[in-house]
Amino acid sequence: MNLTHHRHRNRRRTTGAVLAGTLALLLAATGCSSKAGGGNGGGAAADGVRTGPGVDARTIKLGALTDLTGPYATLGKSLVQAQQMWADETNAKGGICDRTVEIVVKDHGYDVQKAVTAYADISPDVVALPQVIGSPVVAALLDDIERDRMLTFPQAWAASLLGKDAVQVLGTTYDVDMIAAVDFLTRDKGLKKGDTIGHVYFEGDYGANALEGSTWAARKAGLKVTGQKIQATDTDLSAQVSALHKEGVKAVLISAGPAQTASLVGVAASRGLRVPVVSSAPGFAPQLMKTPAAPALAAMLHIVSAAPAVSSDLPGVQRMVASYQKKYPDSPVDSGVLSGYNAAQLIGADLKKACEAGGLTREDVVKAHRSQKNADTGLGTAQNFSDIDRPASTETYVLRPDAKAVGGVVNAEDAHTAPGVEDYLATR
């Protein structure tokens, strides 16, 4: 910066000298790095670590855009509490990069417009989002998240969310799980060529992606799929059960919410359509085992999931469950607890790796994340985050309801990649 031509007054010259000196100090502090703060502003802390939004010399702030008042309020509470437990444990051990971790929570109530406003409020002040609930919410925020280079872990598993550098679907996608569901039905439940499977699914990315998987797998197995599209507000599935009964289905897949799963299974059992039912992971909650549908669920339902049951004997899961029960004795331990804690541990590993490489800007965190090829928190399967176009894992667990188990489910089959998944992904 050349200020020598401003010679009109001594005061102006003095100011110029101070500005030049300040600029020189700033350049020295950032090591003259053109990357300082990345595209989001920022500089370097006294310890020489590059910083940007959400990070200063003492604190790392993470964000959660959650649902505490809408249809997924139970899930939201579990996720928030599990991630807060992780933050408390992390801070008790000295934090990350000598900084305290804070989680800023915003409730959107599963309302897309509220979520867009909440993101605008929170985004200048956080470095990453280890929790965003809802496929429609994530879809509405995708462009902003990519623009801001904000590493984001959605609580949504639609394949349409793949291919974005800053957005990470954890585990499998809905289509991969449904391929595993069809494989389970043919392998374990006796379905054979020529049989018809019903698939009840939510309108939108979740249901559409699940249907892609079931349709592909059914065609490979010589089965027919008959679809029933429903809305999130449809909680009485009597009409859908009647239609499927008329079609003579030998099994039913459901990709909806817990209320819809309970209605489907309860009505089917009462009307004599006692066939195997397999649900996508978001379609089950342990609270269902305290409803009148519980006996039918125990008899007819299985769940396909990228995560194991919280009743699993994996040591990491058992440790987490014990800690959570101690910290939140009045809260149920459900799949949201496992999902939230797993996401928090993964983002913690990314932050540590970014710090070791010298930077905690958003770009640094995304880069550290995408370099992880075998991320294993001990809470399920290892994940590979290096290919933005592929699911992080192709391994699916099969769970079954059990009212006596922690979380209301037990593992029926350990994680495995269903036959055909690799062929399917190659065709996508």
Side-chain angles (χ1 to χ4, degrees):
M1 187 183 289
N2 183 3
L3 296 164
T4 54
H5 61 284
H6 294 298
R7 292 184 175 170
H8 308 303
R9 295 184 190 154
N10 284 340
R11 184 169 57 83
R12 184 78 61 90
R13 269 170 57 195
T14 308
T15 305
V18 170
L19 275 170
T22 305
L23 186 61
L25 280 171
L26 276 171
L27 285 170
T30 58
C32 299
S33 170
S34 61
K35 287 186 179 173
N40 295 292
D47 58 4
V49 174
R50 285 186 302 276
T51 59
V55 180
D56 60 25
R58 293 184 302 279
T59 312
I60 297 171
K61 286 188 179 174
L62 302 169
L65 296 178
T66 193
D67 178 8
L68 297 172
T69 49
Y72 289 100
T74 306
L75 171 70
K77 183 180 178 186
S78 295
L79 287 161
V80 166
Q81 290 186 166
Q83 294 189 337
Q84 189 55 55
M85 180 173 86
W86 166 83
D88 292 345
E89 290 171 354
T90 300
N91 291 333
K93 293 175 190 163
I96 292 173
C97 206
D98 295 324
R99 288 160 172 82
T100 301
V101 178
E102 288 180 21
I103 301 178
V104 184
V105 178
K106 292 274 186 185
D107 170 31
H108 57 56
Y110 212 73
D111 179 311
V112 170
Q113 196 46 55
K114 280 186 188 166
V116 169
T117 304
Y119 181 84
D121 287 347
I122 205 175
S123 58
D125 303 319
V126 298
V127 65
L129 297 170
Q131 180 198 150
V132 180
I133 284 186
S135 294
V137 167
V138 182
L141 294 173
L142 271 182
D143 290 343
D144 290 343
I145 288 167
E146 278 288 276
R147 179 200 66 214
D148 295 339
R149 305 284 292 141
M150 179 94 74
L151 181 61
T152 297
F153 294 165
Q155 282 292 311
W157 294 268
S160 56
L161 300 177
L162 298 175
K164 308 283 185 188
D165 203 29
V167 178
Q168 180 65 66
V169 178
L170 298 177
T172 50
T173 42
Y174 297 123
D175 46 2
V176 168
D177 287 342
M178 282 291 119
I179 293 170
V182 173
D183 172 60
F184 173 72
L185 289 171
T186 56
R187 188 168 37 78
D188 198 77
K189 296 298 175 185
L191 267 75
K192 56 191 184 303
K193 273 188 179 175
D195 287 344
T196 299
I197 301 175
H199 195 162
V200 179
Y201 61 95
F202 270 167
E203 183 177 52
D205 285 354
Y206 166 22
N209 186 222
L211 186 68
E212 277 182 89
S214 65
T215 303
W216 187 90
R219 192 171 66 246
K220 287 282 181 186
L223 304 164
K224 181 187 164 198
V225 171
T226 178
Q228 291 280 331
K229 180 157 63 175
I230 60 170
Q231 310 288 329
T233 48
D234 296 335
T235 52
D236 178 1
L237 268 54
S238 301
Q240 287 77 15
V241 170
S242 293
L244 294 172
H245 215 337
K246 276 184 194 158
E247 293 265 6
V249 299
K250 294 289 198 295
V252 182
L253 305 170
I254 180 161
S255 302
Q260 289 77 21
T261 302
S263 176
L264 173 82
V265 174
V267 173
S270 71
R271 296 193 180 175
L273 185 64
R274 296 189 76 85
V275 297
V277 178
V278 184
S279 169
S280 295
F284 182 82
Q287 289 80 359
L288 295 187
M289 301 313 288
K290 294 185 170 69
T291 70
L297 291 164
M300 295 164 62
L301 185 70
H302 283 82
I303 303 111
V304 281
S305 168
V310 287
S311 61
S312 161
D313 58 5
L314 281 169
V317 175
Q318 290 186 329
R319 271 195 304 275
M320 180 211 68
V321 169
S323 301
Y324 190 84
Q325 287 174 325
K326 187 176 177 186
K327 191 173 179 73
Y328 305 108
D330 299 325
S331 295
V333 186
D334 56 18
S335 61
V337 174
L338 183 61
S339 189
Y341 195 77
N342 185 50
Q345 283 205 316
L346 289 167
I347 222 143
D350 293 337
L351 290 165
K352 283 174 191 162
K353 195 161 189 178
C355 175
E356 285 162 13
L360 284 171
T361 68
R362 288 173 180 168
E363 286 89 343
D364 290 318
V365 176
V366 170
K367 186 179 175 186
H369 175 75
R370 289 296 175 191
S371 73
Q372 309 262 23
K373 293 186 177 178
N374 189 34
D376 191 351
T377 61
L379 298 172
T381 59
Q383 301 191 60
N384 180 351
F385 300 131
S386 65
D387 186 343
I388 65 170
D389 296 315
R390 270 180 66 93
S393 169
T394 56
E395 296 189 47
T396 300
Y397 290 88
V398 180
L399 317 176
R400 63 175 175 80
D402 183 334
K404 295 191 187 75
V406 176
V409 286
V410 293
N411 284 0
E413 290 187 355
D414 280 336
H416 59 282
T417 300
V421 165
E422 289 299 337
D423 290 345
Y424 168 79
L425 291 174
T427 66
R428 270 195 66 85

